[in-house]
Amino acid sequence: MKTDLTDTTASKINKALVLGRRAIGTPAVGMVLTLVIVTDEENAYDALKAASDAAHEHPSRTLVVIKRVSRSPRDRTRSRLDAEVRLGADAGTGETIVLRLYGDVVDHAQSVVLPLLLPDAPVVVWWPVNAPLDPAKDPLGALAQRRVTDTYACEEPIRELAARSDAYAPGDTDLSWTRITPWRSMLAAALDQVDCKVQGVEVEGEEFNPSCELLAMWLADRLDVPVRRTVSGGPGLTAVRMDTDCGPVVLDRADGSLANLSIQGQPARAVALKRRETAELIAEELRRLDPDDTYASALRYGVDRLNESAKGDRAGEGDALAVAAPVGTVAKASAKDAAQEKTPVRKAAAK
């Protein structure tokens, strides 16, 4: 069932919801949360489709807030709210309300959304594109327990990660982090199978892919080892190589679907590691509404610190190759012995 309301109010929308539920024979509200999607007209269809698919696992009232740009000065001063109420087969297992805001009401979207929230139910706000720099301080974000952004959709995703770190508040999360959940699970399981110490890590993936940076920061934060970020042609993350004192541990995914896990002394194994759709990512985020402390810790590690750590590691390796032999020789040998050892040292350096 679909009801169109032009130049309406939140009160009229609520009445349309009640009448619609009675018309289709479901007067009770069986929703578990309110999902607020803040997007533009261009991305509204894809975002709503993903939310509808996720609603099969999490029945919810979905409010799609579309802020329309007024073309003329006269339209900018005239506030208007158009709504589209979808129930039953048109909304899947939940309720969907598409809100189109015009004029001054665009800057006061929270006043429209607040009366439409389910009582005594958690609120999740999702920005598929154009997320605010500080989601927790955004008027709509302040209504929510969880705030979901997607740095992958940004023009400068790596810089956006730094901004997310500075503005992080409990309840913030990002779909770029959700995308690497299978990678984190597989790498943790691989390390559980060996009794080795990790000495260094290499994360390989597309350039300007925030998921690659977040995985590298998570590994650097958890393992406290240098992590090197290398670029590949993708798709997405392509490989993680961990150097341990027992041999390399490699998780390689070249085609974006099937990965190969190699552990020293064990046969190589094929593991499913396909790239997931947005609906699967949103469904995962809706399973937990408490703050994600692991994401916060990885985010605060920082992209700059990650780059400095990798540069320092490479510089340290070069310095060790250049000075380790002479310093050790001088410290342990007498002047006469050092003079006799000059020739082999030069040969070793030449090799």
Side-chain angles (χ1 to χ4, degrees):
M1 180 178 179
K2 181 178 174 182
T3 305
D4 289 325
L5 302 172
T6 303
D7 199 5
T8 186
T9 62
S11 177
K12 293 178 181 178
I13 295 171
N14 268 319
K15 289 179 181 178
L17 280 170
V18 174
L19 293 174
R21 285 198 297 268
R22 288 176 180 172
I24 63 177
T26 57
V29 180
M31 310 295 106
V32 299
L33 58 88
T34 303
L35 175 62
V36 182
I37 305 174
V38 187
T39 184
D40 54 20
E41 200 70 64
E42 179 184 356
N43 296 278
Y45 175 81
D46 291 336
L48 184 54
K49 185 178 185 303
S52 299
D53 293 341
H56 291 289
E57 184 177 341
H58 309 279
S60 59
R61 175 177 290 180
T62 303
L63 306 178
V64 184
V65 180
I66 302 175
K67 300 180 180 181
R68 299 295 297 268
V69 178
S70 300
R71 298 181 180 275
S72 66
R74 180 182 301 174
D75 291 338
R76 293 192 194 103
T77 59
R78 182 175 178 271
S79 297
R80 193 178 100 208
L81 170 64
D82 294 345
E84 204 177 288
V85 180
R86 304 178 186 178
L87 298 169
D90 290 315
T93 59
E95 301 174 343
T96 300
I97 307 170
V98 181
L99 305 168
R100 289 183 172 85
L101 282 60
Y102 301 81
D104 291 340
V105 75
V106 167
D107 299 325
H108 305 282
Q110 72 279 6
S111 64
V112 177
V113 169
L114 187 59
L116 301 175
L117 301 179
L118 289 171
D120 302 323
V123 179
V124 178
V125 178
W126 171 33
W127 291 270
V129 293
N130 302 325
L133 290 178
D134 193 341
K137 292 184 179 179
D138 182 82
L140 285 173
L143 302 175
Q145 285 75 41
R146 290 279 279 180
R147 296 164 292 275
V148 184
T149 57
D150 191 358
T151 53
Y152 189 77
C154 299
E155 186 174 349
E156 297 183 351
I158 308 306
R159 180 178 295 181
E160 195 76 12
L161 277 181
R164 293 278 173 269
S165 176
D166 295 337
Y168 175 81
D172 290 356
T173 191
D174 196 276
L175 293 187
S176 295
W177 172 256
T178 316
R179 290 184 180 96
I180 62 174
T181 299
W183 283 83
R184 295 189 294 118
S185 300
M186 195 63 63
L187 292 171
L191 289 179
D192 284 342
Q193 299 178 35
V194 295
D195 186 16
C196 303
K197 182 179 180 182
V198 180
Q199 299 169 333
V201 180
E202 178 186 356
V203 176
E204 179 186 274
E206 289 177 331
E207 190 175 9
F208 308 121
N209 188 316
S211 294
C212 301
E213 307 296 337
L214 281 169
L215 183 61
M217 289 190 289
W218 174 70
L219 288 167
D221 180 53
R222 289 293 166 178
L223 299 177
D224 194 24
V225 297
V227 177
R228 187 158 53 102
R229 171 77 167 89
T230 57
V231 177
S232 71
L237 271 161
T238 52
V240 174
R241 303 177 182 89
M242 296 186 286
D243 295 325
T244 74
D245 52 9
C246 304
V249 176
V250 180
L251 183 59
D252 193 322
R253 187 191 68 177
D255 61 357
S257 177
L258 192 65
N260 188 66
L261 177 62
S262 302
I263 301 176
Q264 186 74 20
Q266 299 183 19
R269 283 162 284 184
V271 294
L273 207 62
K274 73 179 184 69
R275 305 189 75 192
R276 298 183 293 169
E277 299 294 333
T278 305
E280 297 177 75
L281 303 177
I282 286 296
E284 178 182 326
E285 284 302 329
L286 296 181
R287 289 183 199 126
R288 56 173 300 171
L289 299 177
D290 55 320
D292 192 340
D293 296 332
T294 307
Y295 167 68
S297 181
L299 190 64
R300 285 173 174 159
Y301 185 88
V303 179
D304 294 338
R305 183 179 171 191
L306 178 71
N307 294 336
E308 290 172 3
S309 174
K311 290 178 182 177
D313 178 55
R314 290 194 292 270
E317 289 176 356
D319 293 343
L321 291 174
V323 304
V327 170
T329 303
V330 173
K332 295 181 180 179
S334 63
K336 180 179 179 180
D337 293 335
Q340 293 174 349
E341 291 177 6
K342 282 183 181 178
T343 302
V345 168
R346 283 199 298 271
K347 288 182 179 178
K351 292 181 182 179

